[in-house]
Amino acid sequence: NQEYGFAPNDIPGYPDSIYEERIKILNLETPIELTYNKEVRSYITLYASKKRKLTAKMLGLAEIYFPMFEEALDKYNMPLEIKYLAIVESALNPSAGSHKGAKGLWQFMYGTGKVYDLKVTSMVDDRYDPYKSTIAACEHLQDLYDIYNDWSLALAAYNSGAGNVNRAIRRAGGTKNYWAVWPFLPRETRGYVPAFIAVNYVMNYAQEHNIYPMRPSMFYYDIDTISVYDVLAFDQINEMLGVPMDEIEFLNPQFKMNIIPASIDNPYNIR
């Protein structure tokens, strides 16, 4: 903590001009338009002061998930900053669920998940599978980008559906500019892109806000995947290999009953 000379409990704040300057620097690095305004500022306050502990935890979890997100985004040739969307969606909690029924790191609804090949059975929910849901999120966002040719509108459509964004564009007189259509978006979607910009900022300037990662118990490079061709229960893995139950569950939230219903014809990967 020495670099900035903060005391452990200091919560630094900055004038608008500094936030604006820092976001301008980030904006040079990405095709997603990052702007600074009072909406964005209120989310910076949320993540950098009110929810500091959560942000420290997410900085740690990022070491598990971001390398995987970046690999997938790179493969699809998409802006790497989209990795920050998973923070807005799930706070990087792989078993997150919303009251509306969205599930997993990327918060897929049942119907949308199905379109992108995320299967749901009584035993397995692919929406919770960190790898499969990341691929589905890339494909879904790419499809939305192809509609709007604008990443901010694609993000808004990811949150509220293309129907709501199309309606907002019509009401804004047909212009495909996010801030022009912003007043016509559903209320919760209005906060979505500002939250994304704020997360982008806070994850890059955490130290300036005296926030440091809570180290996770494992890193991305510690995790390996094996293919399973027969029914296998988590407690068998725990018994045979001594991998703690909570780690197996954390890495494999897609298996609802802690059982992998695999067969020769239908193998599963376990992390």
Side-chain angles (χ1 to χ4, degrees):
N1 295 9
Q2 282 358 87
E3 198 185 336
Y4 295 98
F6 297 132
N9 295 326
D10 283 356
I11 302 181
Y14 296 94
D16 287 327
S17 58
I18 298 233
Y19 291 135
E20 195 162 4
E21 197 48 47
R22 288 173 180 169
I23 286 176
K24 265 197 188 123
I25 293 167
L26 294 173
N27 193 39
L28 294 171
E29 299 280 317
T30 176
I32 304 173
E33 188 197 353
L34 305 178
T35 28
Y36 179 69
N37 55 32
K38 66 179 200 307
E39 298 295 322
V40 173
R41 183 184 179 128
S42 69
Y43 282 98
I44 290 175
T45 306
L46 181 71
Y47 287 108
S49 66
K50 291 182 195 144
K51 291 193 175 180
R52 295 171 66 71
K53 279 207 175 87
L54 178 64
T55 300
K57 189 180 169 187
M58 295 188 299
L59 283 164
L61 288 167
E63 312 213 20
I64 300 176
Y65 294 116
F66 277 10
M68 179 179 71
F69 295 168
E70 286 170 358
E71 244 168 62
L73 289 162
D74 179 59
K75 185 180 132 190
Y76 283 88
N77 209 356
M78 294 164 75
L80 297 185
E81 290 76 19
I82 287 173
K83 65 190 177 189
Y84 298 120
L85 197 64
I87 287 184
V88 180
E89 284 292 349
S90 64
L92 297 183
N93 170 4
S95 47
S98 82
H99 60 283
K100 287 187 177 162
K103 303 273 198 295
L105 286 167
W106 295 96
Q107 291 290 287
F108 271 98
M109 298 294 282
Y110 182 85
T112 316
K114 245 182 154 163
V115 174
Y116 293 97
D117 228 25
L118 298 177
K119 299 182 179 68
V120 179
T121 69
S122 303
M123 302 289 281
V124 184
D125 189 338
D126 282 345
R127 294 175 297 170
Y128 286 123
D129 183 313
Y131 182 74
K132 286 183 184 171
S133 65
T134 297
I135 297 300
C138 288
E139 292 176 348
H140 184 28
L141 279 158
Q142 188 59 60
D143 286 346
L144 293 168
Y145 180 75
D146 290 343
I147 298 173
Y148 301 109
N149 276 316
D150 179 285
W151 283 112
S152 300
L153 290 172
L155 296 180
Y158 187 90
N159 175 254
S160 72
N164 280 317
V165 173
N166 295 345
R167 197 170 308 124
I169 290 171
R170 280 199 303 275
R171 291 177 63 187
T175 166
K176 283 192 179 180
N177 170 293
Y178 175 75
W179 292 103
V181 307
W182 183 82
F184 304 106
L185 289 167
R187 199 171 54 114
E188 70 166 71
T189 307
R190 271 181 253 163
Y192 191 72
V193 170
F196 171 80
I197 296 170
V199 165
N200 211 317
Y201 165 80
V202 172
M203 295 299 275
N204 280 286
Y205 287 97
Q207 288 186 352
E208 284 79 350
H209 287 272
N210 201 20
I211 301 173
Y212 294 85
M214 274 182 217
R215 291 276 161 226
S217 58
M218 63 187 89
F219 293 97
Y220 177 68
Y221 301 102
D222 301 327
I223 300 166
D224 210 344
T225 304
I226 51 168
S227 298
V228 179
Y229 297 92
D230 201 349
V231 177
L232 185 64
F234 284 10
D235 46 16
Q236 290 173 285
I237 301 170
N238 165 265
E239 226 166 276
M240 299 286 290
L241 304 176
V243 180
M245 274 304 264
D246 58 345
E247 286 189 8
I248 307 171
E249 289 171 5
F250 170 73
L251 288 168
N252 301 282
Q254 65 271 35
F255 300 107
K256 297 196 221 178
M257 310 277 183
N258 288 3
I259 293 168
I260 305 152
S263 64
I264 292 289
D265 300 326
N266 186 29
Y268 278 96
N269 286 335
I270 182 161
R271 298 170 87 209

